[in-house]
Amino acid sequence: MTPETNEPPRLSGLAVFFYVFLPFALGHFLSSMLRNVNAVLAPSLVHSLALTPGELGLLTSAFFFSFALVQLPVGIALDRFGPRIVQLVLMLLGSVGVLMFARGQTFTHLLIARAVMGFGLGGCFMSAVKAISTWIAPKRLPSVHGYLIAIGGLGAATATMPVRLVLQYTDWRGLFAVLGGLTACCGLLIVLLVPLCKGNANAKAPTLQSIVDVYRHPAFRTTVSLVLVPHTVFFGIQGLWIGRWLADVARFPDSAVAYLLYLSMAAVIFGAIAVGMITEWAGRRGLLPLDVAGIGVALFVLVQVALVVSYTPSLQLLSVLFTLVGTITGIEYAIVAQTMPKELTGRAATCLNLLIFIGAFVVQAGFGQLVGLWHPDRFGHYPVLAYRVAFAALVLLQLPGLVRHFLRRRPVQCQIALLANKEDYEIGSLRSSR
């Protein structure tokens, strides 16, 4: 494999959009779609293979587990060979996993195929960020990240009602066969359209000490202590369990669940763009991105509290609010990129991805295990109490980081107030002496 070298060519903004952003965004679109498609396919999968909630959660979360395992090697490969070649190899591997899933006959077969799928699609977001950052100014990255996440939201939305419409003409196996072909075509499109990006053939694997340096850095610890657990909850629940909650707790039929999931995933598009715009707007007024994240995480936890109590007047609204407000957790990438030392940003992003996807695997699989402690009724619906307990456990996991953040902010605000009062006092004294 020949590393991609030389300086990248000068491209206009329009050329960057068509030749760089769109091809990589398409890969992220397919990755998000395949990550979330089980939320709609769950009834078909359960019927075909007689899956328990624990098995359904494990099957779906295997995608996250392989995502996590591939982060470090993908990060090294992106530095050495550039995103163009790396993404081709990964998309072809992802295509193999999708086609394996289409032909799987047992739970074990599908579990392995889902893991292979995750290995292949695990670098889509990182590759896109790596390629786009070559031509985008750092101050624009929050907005561009927001647009990229919005494309992922579009992919997640496509995994809902559009998938249900396709299932009127084929079964889930035929759907995955088509998606496997599209995944391979996306990899080829990237090679054909994307210009060569600068690579570093001398890039080496990060040492244990370099990774420890990332975790020890105060900026990294401060960010993950607030946003990491909510981020894993957002990823783990939106791709599967919010749909099962609508079916089992709200008792909506499959068609209504698909429609509400479509609205929920579409909300990610608007939420992601809004987060980038709000963060830049707040920055111009002196508010740090971490403060924006703190407010957003607090609102996200409140939505989950409403899910715990099953706020009956608007169960539909809660499913949409969960994904709309939950998009604030995507700000974690921009905060790490802006606050970490330049020599640590690449490793920090890789470590962050590793933690997020491991956490999402634990949340998605663990949620299923908790719900599976109860027995379903004769229609296959699990009781409201099972979901209340599971969501309450997630809220309890997020509260310590949120409380710590606001306790940490209080001394800083008091110090700022004291300095402001001191300055006013000194100005007043000076005027009096005149």
Side-chain angles (χ1 to χ4, degrees):
M1 185 179 296
T2 304
E4 298 174 7
T5 55
N6 302 323
E7 291 295 329
R10 294 183 179 273
L11 297 177
S12 65
L14 193 61
V16 170
F17 176 77
F18 281 106
Y19 293 121
V20 180
F21 180 83
L22 280 185
F24 281 100
L26 179 58
H28 184 49
F29 171 92
L30 290 170
S31 175
S32 297
M33 181 181 178
L34 287 163
R35 189 182 73 215
N36 292 283
V37 73
N38 278 12
V40 168
L41 295 181
S44 299
L45 295 174
V46 169
H47 180 265
S48 298
L49 302 170
L51 301 178
T52 67
E55 289 174 332
L56 179 62
L58 182 60
L59 173 63
T60 307
S61 64
F63 195 86
F64 286 119
F65 185 71
S66 54
F67 246 61
L69 293 181
V70 83
Q71 294 307 303
L72 287 176
V74 166
I76 299 167
L78 286 173
D79 287 337
R80 292 194 64 183
F81 305 108
R84 182 171 171 266
I85 294 298
V86 171
Q87 191 65 352
L88 169 64
V89 175
L90 291 177
M91 294 301 283
L92 292 178
L93 178 61
S95 176
V96 171
V98 177
L99 294 175
M100 287 173 59
F101 197 91
R103 296 180 62 84
Q105 299 297 326
T106 67
F107 169 73
T108 303
H109 292 162
L110 294 184
L111 185 67
I112 295 172
R114 185 83 176 162
V116 174
M117 201 186 308
F119 280 124
L121 300 174
C124 286
F125 185 80
M126 290 175 62
S127 296
V129 171
K130 177 76 173 178
I132 293 167
S133 63
T134 305
W135 289 277
I136 298 295
K139 65 180 180 180
R140 293 294 314 279
L141 285 179
S143 291
V144 176
H145 282 184
Y147 299 143
L148 191 60
I149 293 172
I151 295 295
L154 183 61
T158 306
T160 56
M161 280 190 66
V163 164
R164 181 173 173 79
L165 292 175
V166 171
L167 292 178
Q168 296 178 6
Y169 303 96
T170 183
D171 60 2
W172 61 270
R173 297 185 185 276
L175 171 67
F176 273 88
V178 173
L179 291 176
L182 289 176
T183 303
C185 289
C186 178
L188 296 175
L189 188 66
I190 287 173
V191 168
L192 293 174
L193 293 183
V194 177
L196 295 178
C197 298
K198 183 180 179 180
N200 180 10
N202 296 320
K204 298 179 180 179
T207 63
L208 178 61
Q209 183 58 46
S210 68
I211 296 176
V212 170
D213 290 341
V214 169
Y215 288 106
R216 284 182 175 176
H217 197 280
F220 188 85
R221 292 204 311 270
T222 300
T223 303
V224 299
S225 68
L226 171 65
V227 192
L228 177 64
V229 177
H231 203 160
T232 64
V233 169
F234 175 63
F235 269 11
I237 299 302
Q238 73 150 5
L240 178 63
W241 294 115
I242 200 69
R244 294 299 85 213
W245 178 83
L246 285 168
D248 291 346
V249 176
R251 295 300 178 95
F252 289 117
D254 290 345
S255 58
V257 170
Y259 176 70
L260 289 171
L261 285 175
Y262 175 77
L263 294 180
S264 299
M265 301 308 181
V268 174
I269 302 172
F270 301 101
I273 295 174
V275 167
M277 295 174 63
I278 291 171
T279 303
E280 291 188 2
W281 174 85
R284 291 193 295 269
R285 286 155 180 78
L287 194 64
L288 297 175
L290 194 64
D291 297 325
V292 176
I295 296 170
V297 168
L299 293 175
F300 185 49
V301 172
L302 283 177
V303 171
Q304 293 170 67
V305 171
L307 289 171
V308 172
V309 300
S310 299
Y311 183 64
T312 306
S314 192
L315 294 180
Q316 304 98 314
L317 179 61
L318 286 179
S319 65
V320 177
L321 284 177
F322 181 88
T323 52
L324 177 65
V325 180
T327 54
I328 187 65
T329 58
I331 199 176
E332 195 170 16
Y333 292 103
I335 295 175
V336 168
Q338 290 177 336
T339 57
M340 294 289 291
K342 192 171 183 179
E343 64 274 12
L344 290 178
T345 53
R347 279 167 285 174
T350 301
C351 293
L352 184 59
N353 274 334
L354 182 66
L355 291 174
I356 289 171
F357 292 125
I358 287 178
F361 165 75
V362 173
V363 167
Q364 201 166 74
F367 196 96
Q369 295 295 331
L370 283 177
V371 171
L373 294 176
W374 282 262
H375 296 289
D377 60 19
R378 61 192 180 93
F379 299 107
H381 296 296
Y382 283 80
V384 175
L385 180 60
Y387 286 90
R388 285 182 173 176
V389 170
F391 273 113
L394 295 181
V395 170
L396 292 176
L397 288 175
Q398 295 166 85
L399 282 179
L402 188 61
V403 171
R404 191 182 302 114
H405 169 73
F406 285 105
L407 289 178
R408 186 187 298 116
R409 284 289 300 154
R410 188 174 179 183
V412 174
Q413 292 172 342
C414 291
Q415 185 177 5
I416 293 174
L418 288 173
L419 290 174
N421 291 335
K422 181 180 180 181
E423 183 178 352
D424 292 342
Y425 174 78
E426 290 175 350
I427 292 175
S429 300
L430 180 59
R431 288 176 177 172
S432 299
S433 62
R434 289 179 178 176

